[in-house]
Amino acid sequence: MLRHQPETVGLTLDVNGWADVEELIVKCTEHGQPFTKEDLEQIVATNDKKRYTFNDDHTRIRANQGHSLEVELNLKTAEPPEILYHGTVDKFLEAIGQEGLVKKSRQHVHLSQDLETAQKVGSRRGAPVVLKIKAGDMHRNGHIFYLSDNDVWLTDHVPPTFLVK
Ligand code: HQG
């Protein structure tokens, strides 16, 4: 609900992707997904990828990255390491070889700093194939990289010339 189709439970996110915590709980509960404020506190604190952040007084919550909605996250630009990784599957390789990595339904292409994370991302769809991204070269060529609050590297497009299988 904090990243994709919040309207399915009648929830509205603000331009920066924040939802009101009470409203989130009420709307999800009304739509058959009940949870408490305590559940939410626990999820935010223990989520494996630190996907969510509360505001200072914990009345609002948002996802740190991964949205398919248009939201302004005010992401920090950052200089990437020389190499980043992207996990995918075999059936996409031909298209990726032609047009590079594109955002599909999300706001950015998601890249990982370590091979293991990229393998996990790829394995959501089958036998993982990990692509190596020449992120340093991209950066020196003017491509902008962002680092989300939960340390996911994001960019708009990876042209095929910067990819190594
Ligand atoms: C592929 C999850 C054809 C791309 C994960 C991927 C990640 C192309 C799929 C985060 C393509 C998009 C993001 C092209 C890219 N032709 N296919 N030109 N360019 N693709 O889910 O990176 O659990 O939007 O390889 O763990 O898989 O949600 O991106 O397979 O961190 O927090 O198109 O989402 O995290 O799929 O995953 P996605 P992703 P969360």
Side-chain angles (χ1 to χ4, degrees):
M1 294 307 129
L2 298 175
R3 288 167 147 187
H4 316 291
Q5 300 183 309
E7 68 279 6
T8 57
V9 296
L11 182 71
T12 313
L13 309 185
D14 77 6
V15 287
N16 302 117
W18 293 101
D20 181 84
V21 168
E22 284 305 317
E23 189 187 348
L24 175 70
I25 294 172
V26 168
K27 298 262 166 83
C28 288
T29 301
E30 281 171 6
H31 286 78
Q33 297 283 342
F35 57 89
T36 64
K37 176 88 190 294
E38 289 66 38
D39 295 332
L40 203 54
E41 291 281 351
Q42 200 199 350
I43 289 164
V44 173
T46 61
N47 182 256
D48 58 348
K49 287 191 188 167
K50 299 200 179 354
R51 289 180 179 85
Y52 312 103
T53 298
F54 282 120
N55 67 343
D56 286 346
D57 65 3
H58 291 209
T59 54
R60 296 170 83 69
I61 185 171
R62 77 173 178 184
N64 290 317
Q65 40 66 231
H67 301 76
S68 53
L69 299 158
E70 284 273 326
V71 289
E72 178 46 73
L73 295 173
N74 301 121
L75 290 164
K76 297 181 287 263
T77 58
E79 188 177 333
E82 275 307 309
I83 298 294
L84 287 169
Y85 300 95
H86 177 87
T88 188
V89 282
D90 210 46
K91 66 177 176 189
F92 295 148
L93 289 184
E94 194 179 330
I96 291 172
Q98 281 168 14
E99 57 186 6
L101 290 173
V102 298
K103 317 177 205 182
K104 297 284 172 177
S105 61
R106 302 201 198 232
Q107 284 198 304
H108 298 97
V109 173
H110 284 52
L111 305 171
S112 312
Q113 188 143 0
D114 62 287
L115 190 64
E116 292 71 27
T117 305
Q119 275 171 333
K120 273 193 218 155
V121 172
S123 63
R124 285 149 59 233
R125 298 195 158 82
V129 175
V130 174
L131 302 171
K132 225 167 150 175
I133 319 295
K134 294 190 245 174
D137 285 354
M138 280 182 69
H139 188 252
R140 285 184 287 278
N141 276 272
H143 288 263
I144 295 172
F145 286 78
Y146 306 92
L147 186 58
S148 70
D149 283 347
N150 57 338
D151 292 332
V152 177
W153 285 95
L154 304 165
T155 194
D156 285 336
H157 173 224
V158 181
T161 46
F162 297 105
L163 289 168
V164 184
K165 189 176 166 191

